Amino acid sequence: MDSFNNSDFRPLLLTGFPGLEASHPQISVLFCILYMIAIVGNSLILVVIWQEQSLHKPMYYFLSTLAASDLGLCATTLPTLLELFWLNAHQIAFDCCLVQMFFIHVFSLMESGILLTMAFDRYVAISNPLHYTAMLTNTTIVKIGFGLILRATAVILPGPFLIKRLTFCKANALSHSYCLHPDIIKLSCSDHRINSIYGLIIILITFGLDSVLILLSYLRILITVLGIASHEEQLKAFNICVSHICAVLMVYIPMLGVSIIHRFGKHVQPVIHIIMGYVYLLIPPVLNPIVYCIKTSEIRTRILRLCQTK
């Protein structure tokens, strides 16, 4: 069997919907609508929070960081998707694929860290409101933001270099219209156990730990809220947390589904892999701004006011 190292390996092939290539232009309309909703919605959140002085609070700073991460995820995946569905361009250079993989996983990991930070923010705001502003100063928020970027970059950075060590065979077709770590290492005909173990460790110490801490934060919030005497205050506290819980579910459920299918779904139909991959990438950026606009009256009011002035 012919093999190729990273220096002479031919381009990888992106995959759309096998058997529906003739319908790719029509399918792309749906993706364009979803990307447009994600880009416009998250951009509106950033603009509104930037312009409205009353929204310059920790909760909204973290929300703007989440919106920026969603926009980064869209910018990373949109070019190859449009090239595939509009121009039928299946090829992507090996190094370009690694770069795209790096940024996809960095933004995904940043989202997880931001959601954990938002859960902590809500816990402090509800359980210790008198010290809330003292604990979460602007300087602290900036440090948290840099910390999230540094964590995501440091954790994902070894991935491309570990892949560069592998030997690849003639099989070069990916399962999606973008590049993911488990999808790339499957193409290797050399021993890639180190890469698989690395990917599993990353999931456990980042997404796994984040999800446990988020769960504990909301359990503490629940205990605190139930101890509030006023029924109206309970409803207000629960309403604030609902949007965050929805955002957490929209990120972790698709991510968990993709991880399980890649590792254990060897006999699952390829179309399931493809659909779950798009759900994993598009659901959070599309639905996050919608959920926050519906559940957060301050954001909704400012966006309506901004649209009326245009």
Side-chain angles (χ1 to χ4, degrees), residues 27-40:
I27 297 174
S28 69
V29 174
L30 173 61
F31 286 119
C32 287
I33 293 173
L34 293 175
Y35 272 104
M36 187 64 66
I37 293 173
I39 292 171
V40 172

Side-chain angles (χ1 to χ4, degrees), residues 174-190:
L174 299 170
S175 303
H176 308 287
S177 59
Y178 51 87
C179 302
L180 293 177
H181 178 265
D183 205 17
I184 297 175
I185 64 174
K186 279 184 178 180
L187 301 179
S188 171
C189 55
S190 59

